[in-house]
Amino acid sequence: MKVCVDAMGGDHAPEWIMKGALQASFSGIPVILVGDEKKIKKEAKRLGGLPSNVEIAHASESIGMSESPTVAVRKKKDSSLRVGFKLIKDGKADAMVSAGNSGAIMAAAIMTLRRIPGIERPAIATLIPTFKGHMVILDIGANVDCRPDHLRQFAVVGTVFCRTVLHIPFPRVGILSNGEETSKGNSLTREAHQLLSNAFLNYIGYVEGRDIFSGNVDVVVCDGFVGNIALKLTEGLSRAIFGFMKNDLKKSFKAKIGYLFFRGTLRNLSQAFDYSEYGGAPLLGVDGVCLIAHGSSPPKAIKNAIYHAHELATQNLVGRMKKNILRLNGKPERVLKESEK
Amino acid sequence: MKVCVDAMGGDHAPEWIMKGALQASFSGIPVILVGDEKKIKKEAKRLGGLPSNVEIAHASESIGMSESPTVAVRKKKDSSLRVGFKLIKDGKADAMVSAGNSGAIMAAAIMTLRRIPGIERPAIATLIPTFKGHMVILDIGANVDCRPDHLRQFAVVGTVFCRTVLHIPFPRVGILSNGEETSKGNSLTREAHQLLSNAFLNYIGYVEGRDIFSGNVDVVVCDGFVGNIALKLTEGLSRAIFGFMKNDLKKSFKAKIGYLFFRGTLRNLSQAFDYSEYGGAPLLGVDGVCLIAHGSSPPKAIKNAIYHAHELATQNLVGRMKKNILRLNGKPERVLKESEK
């Protein structure tokens, strides 16, 4: 299982990306660094050379963070993104990690890998810590304006992802809404609710923002506009809370002493909400494993994204999707037995 | 300045509501308890009698938490909500606080008090703590499906509310979106962005979920579906973080010692995120002061909502709205000078 890493994508590329890739390769994961060979070799020299399980795949072009995704992907045929996805398409690599322009990653993935039959709109998913473990939320930014059937498709790919990663055989799926009662929701969620009520999924109805962390739902679906706002709010609020704590520490000597004893707890907590622990968000619904990392990902986040991508490829995420989509896309002919769940 | 309190609305009505109302009356705020006179008198006896600045306004009916708002408000002409709002309409009271069915509160407020001319859709606003103080977000639940012009109206009433409560003369207004660039947003926000760019407001463009806590924006507008999800997520996440901390405390003796010294900091923090400190969320855009409290509000939250309502009435919130709406609703004829901001 080889993981392609876009050496040219990200705010600190190639340095941070390559540092993360080398760290992952040290634990035995074969990596292909995709990008300008000269630049990669120069950086590799600075970092003390490349281990034997790291290859380079040359790409003469790269796509900038502010370029228009579809235009850039179409025009730059030899971009690191297109070269990387081509390697997967040709069976020479098994997964892709990029911290580049996320619109361009999606466009290149869809153009090169193509969608899995039955899925119109690939979605970006992420794991969120809860009281009881983790849950999956999608879409967090790929599709800002959605139709009801898109939410149903997100539920299908989210269910397979949840099974694969969290090993929950029959994940509970909810639609993110402004209240649990079916009288709540907006015009999009009300129609999606009808579709999901008749789908071959463990659909439990509407869930609210606070339910995300409760551990009582495994897959939460929403349009990419709402999901992105929710994700950034989670990030912003957890940072704000740690910021408030630090401010308070400056003011009180007693709090400083407390901090010395309490810092283990605070460290556990900030780790739970630190995206770099997970590294990357998978693009679900394309015919290949693709992880999108934050543009500002530190080496640790890149390393973790590579681990995550390697695991998804090993677990045959895409194969499972294809196998399950027809069944999940269909209407239930009978109620599932407990043993089948 | 008299504040009406819906003695019949809320999960623990009338007990908790009356306790909160009495606490507020002790600091000199005249209160009118609206509801079933018999029940109120019985509860008053249990609580040791009513102070001289607390009156009772009898209402023979009340609206349950699960009743259909518009139907119930129309049918129950003598409901505590309609009786309370009628007192304001007739100039016998100056503000209303209710922890009842929020849909019914809105419907009764709009039916009895009417909208302020120029505002089609009243919105619910709330204050959120930031690194630098507080900010206002609206709509947090009154209107799930919005048109672009509604977001502009929210910006107008939000601006006046922010001036009145936070004393910021020219509040910075942003639209909640999935990115700061104008290429982001969904179809609703893109049109609203055009409208706000041409409005007589201090509009600063799109803001993201994480900006809410930064203190770099004073009024954030969004549709009520997104706003409600954002609010409940904030609530859920702050609870989750405190929950994670408590879990960790159980595991480690060192953390327990730390907690003894650190608890002042934790208390400050949980206060900052505790809705009962603010008490109620104002319904902006109706011709009267109306505060909606959580159904599960403890007495302290009701007391604080009464304080808040009394302050809004004293500061002449509605008069200021009427005075400013025509100007803010208009297009700017010239750029504002610094001295006018």
Side-chain angles (χ1 to χ4, degrees):
Chain A
M1 291 290 163
K2 283 185 188 174
V3 179
C4 283
V5 178
D6 175 9
M8 300 291 120
D11 302 340
H12 305 276
E15 188 190 345
W16 285 15
I17 310 296
M18 285 180 58
K19 276 187 181 166
L22 293 190
Q23 284 170 23
S25 74
F26 295 148
S27 11
I29 298 179
V31 170
I32 305 176
L33 292 168
V34 189
D36 185 317
E37 195 167 5
K38 249 191 189 165
K39 284 187 189 159
I40 293 176
K41 281 195 169 157
K42 197 177 147 196
E43 185 62 34
K45 214 172 166 185
R46 239 175 47 82
L47 294 173
L50 295 182
S52 61
N53 59 350
V54 177
E55 299 168 45
I56 300 174
H58 178 65
S60 61
E61 294 172 296
S62 65
I63 296 173
M65 291 308 241
S66 54
E67 283 188 74
S68 160
T70 40
V71 176
V73 169
R74 208 166 299 148
K75 264 174 71 179
K76 296 186 169 172
K77 288 185 180 141
D78 201 39
S79 62
S80 51
L81 286 172
R82 284 186 64 172
V83 171
F85 286 122
K86 188 77 183 359
L87 289 172
I88 300 176
K89 186 81 184 168
D90 295 345
K92 292 176 187 156
D94 305 281
M96 173 82 173
V97 169
S98 176
N101 180 325
S102 59
I105 302 173
M106 279 191 300
I110 294 173
M111 185 188 281
T112 315
L113 300 174
R114 303 272 162 194
R115 297 176 186 85
I116 294 176
I119 301 299
E120 267 173 90
R121 294 276 198 111
I124 304 174
T126 193
L127 291 171
I128 295 216
T130 72
F131 275 110
K132 298 173 185 168
H134 286 88
M135 54 78 69
V136 178
I137 181 167
L138 75 167
D139 174 27
I140 56 160
N143 311 282
V144 288
D145 289 299
C146 288
R147 289 201 308 273
D149 196 54
H150 298 146
L151 293 197
R152 188 191 56 78
Q153 293 171 22
F154 300 165
V156 169
V157 292
T159 291
V160 180
F161 177 68
C162 188
R163 274 187 193 149
T164 310
V165 174
L166 301 179
H167 310 292
I168 299 169
F170 210 56
R172 294 157 298 179
V173 178
I175 296 177
L176 189 58
S177 178
N178 60 331
E180 286 177 3
E181 309 87 344
T182 48
S183 61
K184 298 280 182 170
N186 60 12
S187 48
L188 171 69
T189 63
R190 277 193 286 264
E191 275 188 60
H193 172 77
Q194 291 306 324
L195 292 176
L196 279 171
S197 300
N198 294 317
F200 215 162
L201 293 159
N202 189 4
Y203 175 59
I204 59 167
Y206 284 165
V207 296
E208 297 186 76
R210 56 180 148 233
D211 299 320
I212 288 178
F213 310 100
S214 67
N216 298 328
V217 59
D218 304 305
V219 177
V220 169
V221 296
C222 54
D223 70 57
F225 181 77
V226 168
N228 195 273
I229 287 174
L231 188 79
K232 285 178 183 158
L233 196 72
T234 303
E235 231 181 270
L237 180 61
S238 39
R239 262 190 228 163
I241 288 183
F242 294 120
F244 283 126
M245 282 184 179
K246 274 193 190 157
N247 271 347
D248 223 59
L249 277 184
K250 286 182 200 149
K251 290 182 212 149
S252 137
F253 180 67
K254 207 172 131 188
K256 269 182 196 147
I257 298 179
Y259 175 72
L260 289 179
F261 288 93
F262 206 54
R263 62 182 167 190
T265 296
L266 292 179
R267 206 183 299 122
N268 289 349
L269 202 60
S270 67
Q271 256 170 23
F273 285 97
D274 180 3
Y275 75 90
S276 65
E277 292 292 322
Y278 314 107
L283 178 66
L284 302 179
V286 290
D287 194 354
V289 173
C290 167
L291 253 71
I292 301 174
H294 261 254
S296 57
S297 291
K300 183 179 152 199
I302 298 297
K303 178 191 75 179
N304 285 330
I306 296 170
Y307 285 165
H308 194 179
H310 186 258
E311 199 207 329
L312 292 177
T314 309
Q315 300 261 350
N316 189 22
L317 174 72
V318 176
R320 284 172 187 240
M321 290 241 170
K322 287 179 180 167
K323 206 175 130 193
N324 279 281
I325 270 166
L326 282 178
R327 196 177 77 105
L328 291 174
N329 254 344
K331 288 188 181 181
E333 280 149 24
R334 56 186 172 80
V335 174
L336 278 193
K337 286 182 206 153
E338 199 50 45
S339 61
E340 290 176 300
K341 288 185 177 177
Chain B
M1 290 291 164
K2 284 184 186 174
V3 179
C4 283
V5 179
D6 175 10
M8 300 292 120
D11 302 341
H12 305 277
E15 188 191 345
W16 285 15
I17 309 296
M18 285 180 58
K19 276 188 180 164
L22 293 190
Q23 284 171 22
S25 74
F26 295 148
S27 13
I29 298 179
V31 170
I32 305 176
L33 292 167
V34 189
D36 185 316
E37 195 166 4
K38 251 190 188 163
K39 284 188 189 157
I40 293 176
K41 283 194 168 157
K42 196 177 150 198
E43 186 62 34
K45 215 172 165 184
R46 240 176 44 82
L47 295 173
L50 295 182
S52 61
N53 60 350
V54 177
E55 298 167 46
I56 300 173
H58 179 64
S60 61
E61 294 172 297
S62 65
I63 296 172
M65 291 307 244
S66 54
E67 283 188 75
S68 159
T70 40
V71 176
V73 168
R74 206 166 298 149
K75 265 173 72 179
K76 296 186 169 172
K77 289 187 179 139
D78 202 39
S79 62
S80 51
L81 286 172
R82 284 187 63 171
V83 170
F85 286 122
K86 187 78 185 1
L87 288 172
I88 299 176
K89 186 82 184 166
D90 295 345
K92 292 175 186 156
D94 305 281
M96 175 82 174
V97 169
S98 175
N101 180 324
S102 59
I105 302 172
M106 279 192 299
I110 293 172
M111 186 189 280
T112 315
L113 299 175
R114 304 273 164 193
R115 297 175 186 86
I116 293 176
I119 300 300
E120 268 172 89
R121 294 277 197 109
I124 304 174
T126 193
L127 291 171
I128 295 215
T130 71
F131 274 110
K132 297 173 187 167
H134 285 88
M135 54 78 69
V136 178
I137 181 167
L138 76 168
D139 176 28
I140 57 160
N143 312 282
V144 289
D145 289 300
C146 288
R147 289 201 308 272
D149 196 53
H150 299 147
L151 294 198
R152 189 191 56 80
Q153 293 171 22
F154 300 165
V156 169
V157 294
T159 291
V160 180
F161 177 68
C162 188
R163 274 187 194 149
T164 310
V165 174
L166 301 179
H167 310 292
I168 298 169
F170 210 56
R172 293 157 298 180
V173 178
I175 296 176
L176 190 58
S177 178
N178 60 330
E180 286 178 2
E181 309 88 343
T182 48
S183 60
K184 299 280 183 168
N186 60 11
S187 49
L188 171 68
T189 64
R190 278 193 284 264
E191 276 188 59
H193 172 76
Q194 291 305 325
L195 291 176
L196 280 171
S197 300
N198 295 317
F200 216 163
L201 293 160
N202 189 6
Y203 175 60
I204 58 167
Y206 284 165
V207 295
E208 297 186 77
R210 55 180 148 230
D211 299 319
I212 288 179
F213 311 100
S214 67
N216 297 328
V217 59
D218 305 303
V219 177
V220 169
V221 296
C222 53
D223 69 59
F225 181 77
V226 168
N228 195 271
I229 287 174
L231 188 79
K232 284 176 182 158
L233 195 72
T234 303
E235 231 182 88
L237 180 61
S238 39
R239 262 189 228 163
I241 288 183
F242 294 120
F244 283 127
M245 282 185 181
K246 274 192 189 156
N247 271 348
D248 223 62
L249 278 183
K250 286 182 199 148
K251 289 181 212 148
S252 137
F253 181 67
K254 207 171 129 188
K256 269 182 198 147
I257 298 178
Y259 175 71
L260 289 180
F261 287 92
F262 207 54
R263 63 180 166 190
T265 295
L266 292 178
R267 207 182 299 123
N268 289 350
L269 201 61
S270 66
Q271 256 170 23
F273 285 96
D274 180 1
Y275 75 91
S276 66
E277 291 292 322
Y278 314 106
L283 179 65
L284 302 179
V286 290
D287 194 354
V289 173
C290 167
L291 253 72
I292 302 174
H294 261 255
S296 58
S297 291
K300 183 178 150 199
I302 298 295
K303 179 191 77 178
N304 284 330
I306 296 170
Y307 285 164
H308 194 179
H310 185 257
E311 198 207 329
L312 291 177
T314 309
Q315 299 260 350
N316 189 23
L317 175 72
V318 176
R320 283 171 188 241
M321 289 240 170
K322 287 178 178 169
K323 206 175 129 192
N324 279 282
I325 271 166
L326 282 177
R327 197 178 77 105
L328 291 174
N329 253 345
K331 287 188 181 179
E333 281 151 21
R334 58 189 171 77
V335 174
L336 278 193
K337 286 182 206 151
E338 201 50 47
S339 61
E340 290 176 300
K341 286 185 177 176

